[in-house]
């Protein structure tokens, strides 16, 4: 048994996080982690896509910062990854990024339900009030299901991110999650237990227990991530996440090296 690796860490390159990779690594060693992974927000082909990701010309520097953390913390396994935005039509761009560096894994995340609305962006909170919550969740899950089916990602990030600001639909969304999880199982894609939800308005791990229970029943594998945007957040609430995963029947999680999986007891 070992502490699950924290596979969801950001860096200052995304413009809304603090702490260099080597500082996250120092924190991880102090907390007793044996493995972590950096998964900062991917660059887009157009740098003006939005204001919360690295520029394309910073990608090599990102890889250098992770390499430096590895050199300065040789006892810690440090994985090189990206949190990649999934939007339909961006598949070729994602494959282009995949070919640029020896990535260990890609986390595929849906933040955008249209070209200009990232539903977790606090600056765009007002948009939620003009929309039907179920319609937004339906669009979100349609994209998430496409992401899971695409085979472009090892892991799907924060699978019920739509709950962040507590705009819950009246309708039952579980059938939509079942469709998503069946797509994940079919393509062999994992989902993550993301503890950042506990630090947001929804006050709950992503994804919620009923979704995780269904994932377990269907045999969808898991990883763990704090979605840390500062070194102090590394490993946050991992005991709760581990307990939740165990309570729905999980005993193993996945680790990735050069996009090859390995099962671990946690
Ligand atoms: Zn972020
Ligand atoms: Fe995200
Ligand atoms: Fe993230
Ligand atoms: Zn994230």
């Amino acid at each position: 048994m070992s502490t699950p690796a924290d596979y969801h860490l950001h860096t200052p390159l995304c413009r809304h996080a603090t702490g260099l990779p080597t500082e996250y690594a120092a924190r991880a060693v102090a907390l007793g982690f044996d493995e972590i992974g950096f998964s900062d927000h991917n660059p887009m082909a157009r740098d003006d896509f939005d204001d919360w990701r690295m520029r394309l010309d910073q990608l090599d520097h990102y890889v250098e910062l992770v390499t430096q953390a590895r050199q300065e913390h040789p006892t810690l396994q440090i994985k090189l990854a990206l949190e990649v935005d999934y939007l339909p039509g961006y598949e070729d761009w994602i494959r282009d990024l995949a070919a640029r560096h020896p990535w260990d894994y890609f986390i595929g995340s849906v933040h955008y339900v249209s070209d200009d609305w990232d539903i977790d962006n606090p600056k765009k909170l007002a948009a939620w009030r003009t929309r039907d919550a179920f319609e937004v969740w339906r669009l979100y899950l349609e994209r998430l299901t496409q992401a899971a089916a695409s085979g472009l990602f090892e892991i799907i990030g924060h699978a019920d991110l739509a709950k962040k600001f507590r705009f819950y639909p009246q309708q039952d969304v579980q059938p939509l999650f079942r469709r998503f999880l069946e797509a994940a199982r079919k393509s062999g894609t994992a989902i993550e237990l993301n503890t950042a939800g506990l630090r947001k308005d929804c006050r709950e791990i992503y994804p919620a227990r009923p979704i995780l229970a269904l994932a377990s029943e269907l045999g969808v594998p898991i990883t763990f991530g704090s979605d840390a945007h500062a070194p102090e957040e590394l490993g946050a609430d991992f005991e709760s996440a581990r307990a939740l995963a165990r309570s729905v029947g999980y005993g193993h999680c996945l680790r990735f090296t050069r996009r090859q999986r390995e099962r671990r007891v946690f």
Side-chain angles (χ1 to χ4, degrees):
M1 200 179 79
S2 59
T3 305
D6 189 341
Y7 264 9
H8 197 145
L9 305 173
H10 290 277
T11 82
L13 292 178
C14 69
R15 293 174 270 180
H16 60 278
T18 56
L20 289 169
T22 195
E23 297 174 284
Y24 282 85
R27 175 83 179 148
V29 171
L31 291 174
F33 279 83
D34 67 349
E35 183 164 323
I36 60 171
F38 289 92
S39 52
D40 210 355
H41 300 290
N42 69 294
M44 289 295 195
R46 287 179 39 186
D47 286 330
D48 63 356
F49 184 84
D50 59 26
D51 62 359
W52 50 268
R53 63 188 68 249
M54 68 182 83
R55 297 189 314 263
L56 182 53
D57 68 3
Q58 292 176 307
L59 186 63
D60 292 352
H61 182 51
Y62 172 64
V63 174
E64 280 164 20
L65 290 174
V66 174
T67 305
Q68 181 197 356
R70 282 174 171 159
Q71 286 162 353
E72 291 173 8
H73 302 276
T75 62
L76 183 66
Q77 288 280 342
I78 302 180
K79 296 298 164 68
L80 175 67
L82 286 172
E83 179 179 13
V84 179
D85 270 83
Y86 178 76
L87 290 90
Y90 282 71
E91 291 82 357
D92 284 344
W93 174 242
I94 297 166
R95 277 186 277 269
D96 178 327
L97 286 173
R100 289 178 187 235
H101 291 283
W103 308 107
D104 291 307
Y105 58 91
F106 272 5
I107 298 179
S109 290
V110 173
H111 303 103
Y112 283 90
V113 297
S114 63
D115 284 354
D116 58 1
W117 188 25
D118 35 349
I119 58 165
D120 63 324
N121 191 336
K123 293 180 200 159
K124 298 179 188 170
L125 187 55
W128 272 102
R129 300 204 178 89
T130 69
R131 301 283 292 263
D132 174 58
F134 181 68
E135 184 54 18
V136 180
W137 281 65
R138 199 188 57 73
L139 284 169
Y140 171 77
L141 275 151
E142 194 170 282
R143 290 190 169 195
L144 204 69
T145 303
Q146 285 177 271
S150 73
L152 292 167
F153 312 111
E154 279 66 36
I155 304 162
I156 296 296
H158 41 58
D160 61 351
L161 180 69
K163 75 182 175 188
K164 179 176 175 181
F165 299 122
R166 303 186 54 84
F167 289 90
Y168 294 103
Q170 301 291 313
Q171 295 88 336
D172 180 16
V173 287
Q174 199 68 356
L176 303 178
F177 279 103
R178 175 179 286 273
R179 211 165 58 101
F180 155 65
L181 291 168
E182 281 169 351
R185 177 192 45 187
K186 207 169 153 198
S187 63
T189 308
I191 61 169
E192 66 167 1
L193 274 84
N194 181 315
T195 62
L198 289 166
R199 310 192 293 274
K200 309 298 181 191
D201 293 349
C202 58
R203 297 273 160 204
E204 191 179 78
I205 287 173
Y206 304 115
R209 172 189 293 273
I211 303 163
L212 194 68
L214 182 57
S216 174
E217 187 190 311
L218 293 173
V220 176
I222 53 167
T223 60
F224 291 83
S226 64
D227 213 339
H229 285 70
E232 309 84 74
E233 292 173 347
L234 187 145
D237 296 300
F238 264 39
E239 268 320 309
S240 308
R242 201 172 177 174
L244 174 62
R246 286 224 189 90
S247 74
V248 298
Y250 282 105
H252 292 82
C253 57
L254 296 185
R255 295 197 182 188
F256 293 95
T257 305
R258 301 283 183 105
R259 312 198 79 168
Q260 297 297 309
R261 69 182 52 205
E262 205 186 313
R263 252 161 66 96
R264 283 291 187 94
V265 175
F266 67 84

